[in-house]
């Protein structure tokens, strides 16, 4: 290990253990993952036609490490001409090869990509953590394995589409324009790419501007997998680039994950164009704890539901509803648990809560938390040291929250929990459904009948029972109401990338 690297490790170890010693009776020795495994280039071009090319726009922008504010690399900003090149390249690749390739051949490439993701998983995990701020234990145990699993899963469908939709004659749509957010950069890329490729579409993908690096590493894997050039194109940039992708006339299918505001802009922009559209937007999930629930497990699930990934999760359990009779014990255990969460260096394997993804997101969280205090809710934050540089926010919970408070209505997208109470299942249901969103929900109870009663009445696309934030490539994910429409994952996730002869749209 180079000397500079070792000194840095030593410095971080010392800083982390002294911070921990102050607030916990026993301290874990810090265990930082080495960043030596990743090689970050000074500059990244656009990935078009199987190669990295300079942007015609001539513009570049920096991506930084939110835990240190250090600029990691310069990334090309795709202008309209660049997007046009990416889309026409994707179109040509579709017409010349991909569209007519047998499913079993498409699957071979996808299996290669999946295996490469597994083989290079440590590299991907470290890079994801450096570029986005999430704890290494999450990028290592959640993001990267799930991304590989998505490629494996959809590779399995590629040659079985006729069985998936018997008698319906499924056909690929054409070029998919896909825009993804910064909270699960690699995983969202996998969610978008895998079903599109399995069904025979080609792709122009735009990663989020604060987290482009793992998508660009994936481009390298795609090159190594020998995917025909142009089948996957990756263009970096911010909102304007995204807008150019989704409105390009040769894009047949648009898939977007991000904020409800941008989702609405996109929906307006593609209305009447004949483009297929799926939107996966914000959420304000209810996590509902009944008095008969196993409380210790529920507390762990609540913590996982909102503090996981700094609350940068669209399906985060950001509204906690506790039955009045168990409010005191749940709150007490929750506060105790919050005090033991380790906030800090995302590369440390012990870290529970990492850095907030960007300064802009930090400001948004701060502003909403201030509104909670001003509107009269009671705030609780454990005492913990935060690193001097970087973007950080303490795990926070609010009690005394009214349904009218902004913190109970708006998506905060940070580690902030609003706690409310209820007396009867009917009241829990009414309060939980009282939101413009409908992405996910959680129910904690020992009674199977109550789980079924609640889940059939909750207006949410995904409902977890006695657990929270669990994902699997075989189960569909998506929302109701302002959380969007269309499903990703599972058999359902194939449909948005297909046309069916019976619809009279194919051909
Ligand atoms: P955003 O919706 O602005 O960004 C998501 C993606 O869309 C990024 O790649 C961005 O470059 C792109 N984009 C922005 N404007 C666009 C446009 N007009 N046309 C096409 N693409 C466009 O989200 P954000 O500003 O990064 O975050 C704001 C809020 O959105 C967060 O605080 C959070 O509430 C929510 N959010 C939700 C999710 C989710 O998974 N549902 C993910 C990220 C953010
Ligand atoms: Mn970054």
């Amino acid at each position: 290990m180079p000397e500079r690297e070792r000194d840095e490790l030593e410095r971080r170890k010392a800083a982390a253990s002294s911070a921990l010693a102050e607030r916990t009776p026993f301290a874990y020795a810090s265990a930082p993952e080495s960043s030596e495994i990743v090689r970050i280039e000074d500059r990244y071009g656009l990935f078009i036609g199987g190669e990295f090319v300079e942007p015609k726009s001539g513009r570049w922008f920096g991506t930084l490490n939110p835990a240190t504010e250090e600029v990691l690399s310069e990334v090309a900003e795709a202008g309209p001409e660049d997007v046009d090149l990416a889309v026409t390249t994707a179109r040509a690749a579709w017409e010349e090869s991909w569209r007519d390739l047998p499913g079993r051949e498409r699957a071979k490439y996808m299996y290669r990509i999946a295996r490469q993701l597994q083989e290079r998983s440590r590299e991907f995990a470290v890079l994801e953590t450096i570029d986005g701020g999430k704890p290494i234990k999450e990028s290592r145990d959640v993001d990267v394995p799930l991304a590989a699993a998505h490629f494996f899963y959809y590779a399995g469908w590629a040659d079985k589409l006729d069985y998936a939709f018997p008698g319906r004659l499924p056909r690929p749509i054409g070029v998919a324009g896909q825009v993804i957010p910064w909270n699960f950069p690699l995983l969202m890329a996998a969610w978008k790419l895998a079903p599109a490729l399995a069904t025979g579409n080609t792709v122009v993908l735009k990663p989020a501007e604060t987290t482009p690096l793992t998508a660009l590493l994936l481009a390298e894997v795609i090159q190594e997998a020998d995917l025909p050039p142009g089948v996957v194109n990756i263009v970096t940039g911010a909102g304007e680039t995204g807008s150019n992708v989704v409105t390009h006339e040769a894009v047949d299918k648009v898939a977007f994950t991000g904020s409800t505001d941008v989702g609405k802009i996109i929906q307006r922009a593609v209305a009447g164009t004949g483009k297929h559209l799926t939107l996966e937007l914000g959420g304000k999930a209810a996590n509902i704890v009944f008095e008969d629930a196993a409380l210790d497990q529920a507390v762990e699930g609540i913590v996982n539901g909102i503090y996981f990934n700094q609350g940068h999760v669209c399906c985060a359990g950001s509204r906690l509803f506790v039955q009045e009779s168990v409010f005191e014990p749940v709150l007490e255990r929750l506060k105790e648990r919050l005090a033991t969460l380790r906030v800090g260096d995302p590369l440390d394997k012990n870290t529970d809560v990492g850095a907030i993804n960007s300064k802009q997101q930090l400001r948004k969280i701060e502003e909403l938390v201030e509104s909670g205090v001003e509107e009269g809710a009671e705030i609780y934050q454990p005492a913990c040291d935060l690193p001097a540089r970087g973007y950080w926010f303490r795990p926070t919970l609010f009690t005394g929250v009214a349904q009218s408070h902004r913190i109970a209505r708006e998506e905060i997208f940070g580690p902030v929990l609003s706690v409310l109470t209820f007396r009867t299942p009917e009241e829990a249901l009414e309060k939980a459904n009282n939101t413009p969103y409908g992405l996910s929900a959680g129910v904690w109870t020992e009674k199977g009948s109550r789980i079924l009663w609640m889940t059939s009445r909750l207006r949410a696309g995904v409902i977890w029972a006695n657990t929270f934030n669990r994902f699997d490539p075989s189960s569909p994910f998506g929302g109701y109401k302002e959380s969007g429409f269309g499903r990703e994952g599972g058999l359902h996730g194939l449909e948005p990338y297909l046309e069916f002869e019976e619809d009279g749209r194919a051909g």
Side-chain angles (χ1 to χ4, degrees), residues 62-66 70 72 128 130-133 209-213 357:
T63 181
L64 50 78
N65 178 343
E70 158 207 13
L72 296 166
E128 196 74 308
I130 293 178
D131 198 16
E209 53 272 37
T210 57
T211 54
L213 297 184
N357 184 264

Side-chain angles (χ1 to χ4, degrees), residues 145-197:
L146 269 177
H150 268 267
F151 278 102
F152 277 119
Y153 175 79
Y154 279 109
W157 275 121
D159 62 350
K160 301 174 193 72
L161 298 177
D162 291 337
Y163 303 98
F165 305 101
R168 294 183 64 194
L169 299 174
R171 289 183 187 167
I173 299 174
V175 176
Q178 308 179 320
V179 177
I180 56 174
W182 42 260
N183 54 343
F184 292 90
L186 177 71
L187 183 58
M188 287 302 113
W191 277 31
K192 295 282 182 280
L193 292 174
L197 298 180

Side-chain angles (χ1 to χ4, degrees), residues 29-50:
S30 74
E33 176 82 47
S34 165
S35 58
E36 229 179 328
I37 192 167
V38 299
R39 205 194 63 228
I40 300 176
E41 312 282 342
D42 294 338
R43 270 194 165 187
Y44 290 88
L46 304 165
F47 185 66
I48 300 178

